[in-house]
Amino acid sequence: MAGDGSDQRALQYEQTLMYGRYTQELGVYAKEEAARLRESGQRRSVSDRSRTLDLLEYDKGRCAKCRICTVRCQKFLISRVGEDWIFLILLGLLMALVSWVVDFCIAICLQAQKWMYGGLDSNVFLQYLAWVTYPVVLITFSAGFTQILAPQAVGSGIPEMKTILRGVVLKEYLTFKTFVAKVIGLTCALGSGMPLGKEGPFVHIASLCAALLSKFMSLFGGIYENESRNIEMLAAACAVGVGCCFAAPIGGVLFSIEVTSTFFAVRNYWRGFFAATFSAFIFRVLAVWNRDEETITALFKTRFRLDFPFDLQELPAFAVIGIASGFGGALFVYLNRLIVQFIRKQKAINRFLMKKRLLYPALVTLLISTLTFPPGFGQFMAGKLTQKESLVTLLDNRTWAKQGIAEDFDYIGHSQAWKHPQLNVFVTLVLFIVMKFWMSALATTIPVPCGAFMPVFVIGAAFGRLVGESMAAWFPDGINTDGTIYPIVPGGYAVVGAAALSGAVTHTVSTAVIVFELTGQISHILPVMIAVILANAVAQSLQPSLYDSIIRIKKLPYLPELGWGHHEKYNIRVEDIMVRDVRYITLNCCYRDLHNVLLTGHLKTLALVESAESMILLGSIERAQLQSLLSQQLGRPRRLEYIRERAAAEKKHLSVVSNPGSEDGSQRASQEVRFQISTEESSFSPTRPVPQKPLKPALKRPSVVERPTEIPTGPNDNSGIALKNLFCASPDTEGLEKNNNLETPASPEHRRPSKRVRISVVDDGDVEDDMTIREIAEWEEKQLDEQVNFNNCKIDPAPFQLVERTSLHKTHTIFSLLGLDHAYVTSIGRLIGVVSLKELRKAIEGSVTVKGVKVRPPLASFRDSGTSSSENEATELHKLWDRHKSMSLPREHTPSESDEKSQ
Amino acid sequence: MAGDGSDQRALQYEQTLMYGRYTQELGVYAKEEAARLRESGQRRSVSDRSRTLDLLEYDKGRCAKCRICTVRCQKFLISRVGEDWIFLILLGLLMALVSWVVDFCIAICLQAQKWMYGGLDSNVFLQYLAWVTYPVVLITFSAGFTQILAPQAVGSGIPEMKTILRGVVLKEYLTFKTFVAKVIGLTCALGSGMPLGKEGPFVHIASLCAALLSKFMSLFGGIYENESRNIEMLAAACAVGVGCCFAAPIGGVLFSIEVTSTFFAVRNYWRGFFAATFSAFIFRVLAVWNRDEETITALFKTRFRLDFPFDLQELPAFAVIGIASGFGGALFVYLNRLIVQFIRKQKAINRFLMKKRLLYPALVTLLISTLTFPPGFGQFMAGKLTQKESLVTLLDNRTWAKQGIAEDFDYIGHSQAWKHPQLNVFVTLVLFIVMKFWMSALATTIPVPCGAFMPVFVIGAAFGRLVGESMAAWFPDGINTDGTIYPIVPGGYAVVGAAALSGAVTHTVSTAVIVFELTGQISHILPVMIAVILANAVAQSLQPSLYDSIIRIKKLPYLPELGWGHHEKYNIRVEDIMVRDVRYITLNCCYRDLHNVLLTGHLKTLALVESAESMILLGSIERAQLQSLLSQQLGRPRRLEYIRERAAAEKKHLSVVSNPGSEDGSQRASQEVRFQISTEESSFSPTRPVPQKPLKPALKRPSVVERPTEIPTGPNDNSGIALKNLFCASPDTEGLEKNNNLETPASPEHRRPSKRVRISVVDDGDVEDDMTIREIAEWEEKQLDEQVNFNNCKIDPAPFQLVERTSLHKTHTIFSLLGLDHAYVTSIGRLIGVVSLKELRKAIEGSVTVKGVKVRPPLASFRDSGTSSSENEATELHKLWDRHKSMSLPREHTPSESDEKSQ
């Protein structure tokens, strides 16, 4: 994780480890929670009993039993609150309401625009103004509102949910503020009529709902604070999001699994289905109650004939749609990324747009709405229709082309938008596809809450309709020659196209299920499946999915998928990709080693080994833990304690000893006087003359002190320079450290002063703190030589381990299964390397995309030697065994060794 | 794994570990494979080049280029054979053909029965004979055929595939023999007209196909022998199996995921979809080519009206179907298990049936076919109809009841079977449901290849139809009151019932998708989803799924699912369930320790720790490895070598030494003379008088010999008694061992002789082997005291580790994710316990089913102490640290300690 630092640091994500720290925290939490529950349970049961007794005495009539019953029911209900299904029902209900209200508001917004446009039909200019101003205002408001309230609400949400479900905590991503910003922002954005979708944001909204509901429900029971449960609920919420957006429970579950998970627990399956079904049910029931529909039916119901949906000989045409959609989908992803990167790269534009944050959305909206202005260019591309209307007309089960060329076809309702007096319907469709294609790619880069699924779906439907109309024009009486005439149904082609293109853009197969649920007909299952699979095959070999593309653009931590049939993956081994110089600390290291290790590396966790010779991995410790250990050791409170102790000791031994260290001390004082001169701080507490005493009494483990002063990290100021180096390591100090490490550890002291003194700024001149800088330095030196006490340190006792011969394929599986961030490579307990997400990413992309960092060729590991690995292991074992024998011998560990490796 | 030993030993399954041995083997394999490939590649390219050159010279005309091109194409194609999609297409094609051929044969069989039955309508008795004999013969043949050819082919196959996909290797389960037995057995079984299904066997057949195809394809490229790839392909094959059975690609994929996986890799998704779609496509295209269908449509096409599929107020009825189906499904599973257990328990019946293996199938078939005989009881339950015909009539979109009571309804085609002159349609339906219910439960216990999905599906459809007809009779004009009359469609209820009951029996939600694909209509999506989810909720809380039930009956290794919302699972920790006295061997142990450990435990793998004090886990070793180590050390070749060496040494030192050990030796000989007397072997080579020499020169590490004779496993015969004890441990020897362990290890020698001598039967009296029993015993004693040399031992260097505080929920996840068999519990590298599948199973079932072994109550681990675990860890660390200091001190490990614990 050390590599792409700056962006990731900004995210401040934490890896939720499968074991260790995380588990421990949970354990501690669970204990507290259990204690609390038991207490409250006792209290409650006592109070309940007294209440029921009260009731009994208060009213001995026939009503008493009823009341007791009610109380019991209430208790029962509260105890049931912890059940999953109640949570899921509530989530489904909430999301159905949100979805319906959002849809309702969007419909009103769109109607308002139509009304304005329609009312001003006397003056084209006014009409244009109204047509253009309305979306610009809405989009600008949406962008501004989300920008101010919660910038996290911008965009789709699926990439972020994918990251969160991988175990990464994205800060501020699941808060109430974000919820409000997302819902209102989305409503305005979609109400503007731009080619934007609602499914991505709905995944995010559902997750927000789940997180907030979880928080709310935790008032009743502790179970809602369990991390793994929350992840399960978030996975269900994603399904609900898609499910209630399209009223497609099955497709929603599958789609959400495909876009957010790499490994899916089948035991969570029912959660998604349950919640999504309930949500879709309520969503559709609301429509029935609102008298929009007579009963529960599909959202975009089609009425294709059932008895002969398509001819077998039409299948090549469906396959062509699939392949073309694959290319189209890849192009869309590429175009979208290109626009984002272009905007980012053009610094001049960028600076301007960043200053006026709302200018970019406004400009894009202006451009798009100008082009769709119905009396203008919009007349050639059915600009009058909203997204929903376009889709309904495209899925129409009548054929346009046959009569479209002749003028006599009765375009009912919205279908007439596709008719143009001068152009035939093919040109209109082509124009629609081309214009909508780049418009959608552009519109989805606007910083408002928006998805790209629906626009792509509509484009796909248009493309399918185009092919279908062509086929219908080519075979006016259908292809089948056996008696009955079955004309071609272009609407079926539209369904196929919609599924294929949206599948290609999102790299999912479940769009097939979504179209069946959306249209309420499954008759075209085979053409749809064939087209979707072909589209996926083409798109996946060309580009990442739209969501993965956004993940890369946003620099979220990710693990690329292993592609189709890249079977060389089975032959790369961990030993080919692992980093061999691992940062580690030993169990018996001193604080100085800790300090050095922390200074020179940036890894979030460090390996704890038994000793530098044995290298037996004992666990891993987080960087923060080590930093706090170090700050405890060198911190002011401890020094003050030392001063107090020293003062006490002084009193005792005042008359006993002459001062043997004074001469040496004054020598060193004169040597270090330039440090005091070069210091910038004027507020520094004056160095009071303190009698220089031997430091021994203050040291708790005097036997450990062997090398008192000749160590690289020299004297520190009185609030711990060593610590500051760690916490605010600037590039130049790093450079210094590197220089130091190149030399022998005994002599770099003269290089240090400027830095040391420069950093020692923060000091408030405590009255008790009467040590001179030199004394403090000496004290710190001695502190650093003490052995580290890991007592109060949280250690992950079982970090994930791999062996050298684990294949890349298996490593990938394990990393994505367990959501790992890094894993240590061991050989019979010995730590020999580490693999992090970064290396894995490199290895996979290096051989998938040729541009990336190339790893060793697939068969590299076979060239090394023909001997089996058991021999190596035997050697390792012998080493271990030899070590055992020589354990009593003096150790010859040179601490600089590991430092040198890291250069 | 030690517990339910006998059955599992019979299965001879091996755990394919995620790491270590398995990986190593793969590594070794891959190396060899790569070497082979490189060689053959070079050879091939050389020969290709020479061939092309030959061609060029042979024919310089215009044809040469063509030929070169062809050769290149051929090369290209061969290189492409490794691609996944080729494999999947071949698999899909093959399975579609198999499915179609099987269906075709079944149809012919059924037609033949009908024809016989129809032709004999003059005589009821002959009719009855024909009706009954035909299925009895077919089923008996099927049972006999599978019994003889491959008993593994019996039954559904889904439980076994679930076990295999969990990583367990079932022997002989994926062979060609099994394939033949399954296909032919299934065809005969289904052709008999019994209420049996084809989907379970088809999952197995598809897996067989995949395995065989994989073997076949591996002739072209090495990639097909990769284990993880094979698992991926098997998962895809399961999807193909269901997909081509029902022509339901999406439902097939989902169903196969739900019934076979606990965690599913989304990256395998496309494989399943691709292969299943292709397979379903070919399957349906074959039907079109065979002129069965005009074009590709659903298998059981329905024609419900689209505009108003159902009224909102009908939903309660659908919910009732769901709940009732839930109970019905649980009852079916229970009934099925009850029958199997009854048959097993009744020893008299059982012995009789076992002797005449074919009697049980014949009797059951006779009973069932007698009851369905159309002129007999069959007339009341539409006994004339085959399964397929029943389903078609049940899904009919006309209402029977309205006219069913009146006589004037025109029952077209097969529907007339439901009409009975005396009874109304409700009674027929009820009889059909009740009779078919127990018949199906009984029929699926017949030892032929058969599934239960389709019978259950039909029963569900009948139940749904019953509810639907009742509703139609109750509301003859539909429920809706707003003007238009929409009569109730009982066929819709049948669809809902079918999905709900099959979902309840299999514990899957994807039956919903299967019914949509089977019927070609998705209009009833919400009712179906609601009913399926309710049915699942009810059934899952009452019984395991049918497949899990079979897994338990067959005693396959399994891991139960965590149930719905059992959130106490989050509170049980590994420390509550782990076994604390772990069998381990230390790095510096002697062969005697190895021997003891092997004698007293039955675990398949043993932990290797650094030393008994440190307990740092270094890896795990398989039992077989240790056994081979021991047999190497004590084996005959080594002893012969020793004799040779001794002879050589003897020659040298012949005149130098007097024999100091002779007195002691003769003493012991007299003491042990009774062993020689009590021995049963007459062929034992006579103990030749051999000069008794000091054994020292033969010992390679004389310094290790400290306790020469006072060890439990005393003198062994000349082919290694100690080994035999291990390999063929009978119950009584185990008892002996236990007794020995109760005593101090120094004195049990007098208990041993009978056993020792009884076992020492196998000896062929080698001429060179001139050692007396006593000498051999002495020699073995000394060999046992040598230190173990782990050089040639395969060690799993990274066995899976958990920490004490890992929750049961997480442990379950990890076990099912990685297909683990056991995991060690460590605390900062120290081994403190082990958790195996058995403990986990106990823990989960103990609290899920109340009957099972109850584990500590959920909150048990909170009662222990309120202190956080970090303190414990600190203590551990200090221990480690103290150990470091005291490493040079003498060790005080008592080897009996661990033995006592295991009692």
Side-chain angles (χ1 to χ4, degrees), chain A residues 644-682:
Chain A
R644 240 172 281 128
E645 277 181 37
R646 187 178 57 169
E650 205 179 323
K651 273 176 197 164
K652 274 189 194 164
H653 298 274
L654 200 58
S655 55
V656 183
V657 260
S658 75
N659 197 336
S662 65
E663 196 209 17
D664 178 52
S666 59
Q667 259 185 10
R668 294 193 60 199
S670 67
Q671 189 192 338
E672 283 182 62
V673 75
R674 63 190 169 99
F675 302 167
Q676 286 174 34
I677 291 164
S678 73
T679 185
E680 294 126 27
E681 41 185 333
S682 54

Side-chain angles (χ1 to χ4, degrees), chain B residues 72-85:
Chain B
R72 274 195 195 143
C73 281
Q74 208 179 322
K75 269 172 70 182
F76 178 77
L77 278 179
I78 286 174
S79 77
R80 289 275 129 174
V81 159
E83 301 275 331
D84 286 357
W85 62 272

Side-chain angles (χ1 to χ4, degrees), chain B residues 574-576 578-582 804 832-834 856 901:
Chain B
V574 162
E575 57 185 346
D576 300 332
M578 71 181 178
V579 174
R580 277 168 200 278
D581 53 335
V582 193
E804 301 129 280
I832 56 168
V834 66
R856 297 169 68 192
K901 269 185 198 165

Side-chain angles (χ1 to χ4, degrees), chain A residues 235-267:
Chain A
C238 290
V240 173
V242 185
C244 73
C245 173
F246 294 135
I250 302 170
V253 172
L254 300 184
F255 185 78
S256 75
I257 289 174
E258 280 195 272
V259 294
T260 60
S261 314
T262 41
F263 276 83
F264 191 73
V266 175
R267 66 162 181 253

Side-chain angles (χ1 to χ4, degrees), chain A residues 22 24 232 262 264 266-267 281 295-296 310 312 315 517 525 587 610 809-810 813 817 877 883, chain B residues 22 232 262 264 266-267 281 295-296 310 312 315 517 525 587 610 809-810 813 817 873 877 883:
Chain A
Y22 162 61
Q24 280 167 27
E232 284 173 5
T262 41
F264 191 73
V266 175
R267 66 162 181 253
F281 169 63
T295 186
I296 294 178
F310 58 94
L312 211 59
L315 282 177
E517 292 182 281
I525 178 160
L587 197 58
E610 199 196 28
H809 185 261
K810 207 156 262 178
T813 307
L817 268 174
L877 268 176
R883 185 176 60 81
Chain B
Y22 163 60
E232 284 173 4
T262 42
F264 191 73
V266 176
R267 66 162 179 251
F281 168 64
T295 186
I296 294 178
F310 58 95
L312 213 56
L315 282 177
E517 291 182 280
I525 178 160
L587 196 58
E610 198 195 27
H809 184 261
K810 207 157 263 177
T813 307
L817 266 176
E873 277 153 24
L877 266 177
R883 184 178 60 81

Side-chain angles (χ1 to χ4, degrees), chain B residues 112-123 127:
Chain B
Q113 188 188 15
K114 282 224 165 154
W115 173 80
M116 263 165 49
Y117 167 78
L120 297 165
D121 57 356
S122 52
N123 187 334
Q127 238 184 346

Side-chain angles (χ1 to χ4, degrees), chain B residues 116-360:
Chain B
M116 263 165 49
Y117 167 78
L120 297 165
D121 57 356
S122 52
N123 187 334
V124 175
F125 180 70
L126 275 180
Q127 238 184 346
Y128 171 73
L129 262 191
W131 180 264
V132 160
T133 318
Y134 190 79
V136 169
V137 168
L138 275 177
I139 287 280
T140 314
F141 168 74
S142 173
F145 185 74
T146 47
Q147 196 59 251
I148 291 164
L149 196 65
Q152 294 84 12
V154 162
S156 158
I158 291 180
E160 286 84 0
M161 284 318 297
K162 187 173 186 173
T163 315
I164 288 174
L165 287 180
R166 231 199 133 272
V168 177
V169 174
L170 295 179
K171 213 182 156 191
E172 292 283 313
Y173 208 76
L174 296 175
T175 61
F176 185 68
K177 255 190 186 176
T178 318
F179 178 74
V180 172
K182 195 110 194 178
V183 171
I184 294 180
L186 180 69
T187 311
C188 295
L190 294 187
S192 73
M194 287 290 103
L196 299 171
K198 93 177 224 207
E199 49 68 72
F202 255 75
V203 168
H204 188 190
I205 290 172
S207 308
L208 282 162
C209 260
L212 296 173
L213 202 58
S214 195
K215 247 185 215 163
F216 173 73
M217 300 281 273
S218 68
L219 299 177
F220 300 101
I223 188 66
Y224 282 96
E225 309 231 352
N226 189 302
E227 185 85 10
S228 20
R229 189 191 149 108
N230 278 353
I231 291 276
E232 284 173 4
M233 288 305 166
L234 281 183
C238 291
V240 173
V242 185
C244 71
C245 173
F246 294 136
I250 301 171
V253 172
L254 300 184
F255 185 78
S256 73
I257 289 174
E258 280 194 273
V259 294
T260 60
S261 315
T262 42
F263 276 82
F264 191 73
V266 176
R267 66 162 179 251
N268 285 351
Y269 221 47
W270 74 265
R271 273 181 247 272
F273 272 112
F274 180 75
T277 303
F278 189 77
S279 186
F281 168 64
I282 296 292
F283 180 60
R284 295 310 287 158
V285 163
L286 285 171
V288 176
W289 283 346
N290 199 40
R291 302 273 166 188
D292 294 338
E293 305 265 353
E294 208 172 1
T295 186
I296 294 178
T297 50
L299 217 51
F300 296 99
K301 204 162 57 181
T302 54
R303 290 152 196 275
F304 306 142
R305 61 164 185 266
L306 288 176
D307 45 350
F308 194 90
F310 58 95
D311 197 295
L312 213 56
Q313 292 158 69
E314 292 178 52
L315 282 177
F318 292 121
V320 166
I321 292 180
I323 291 168
S325 296
F327 284 107
L331 184 63
F332 185 86
V333 173
Y334 179 71
L335 198 62
N336 184 278
R337 195 167 59 236
L338 211 65
I339 294 169
V340 173
Q341 281 170 349
F342 177 78
I343 298 286
R344 282 198 184 175
K345 268 184 198 160
Q346 301 298 316
K347 284 193 181 167
I349 303 176
N350 202 14
R351 221 172 298 137
F352 180 68
L353 290 177
M354 279 300 118
K355 258 183 214 149
K356 327 262 178 202
R357 276 166 188 278
L358 305 178
L359 202 63
Y360 176 69

Side-chain angles (χ1 to χ4, degrees), chain A residues 845-858:
Chain A
E845 294 187 335
S847 45
V848 171
T849 70
V850 192
K851 283 169 264 168
V853 187
K854 208 55 180 161
V855 284
R856 295 169 69 190

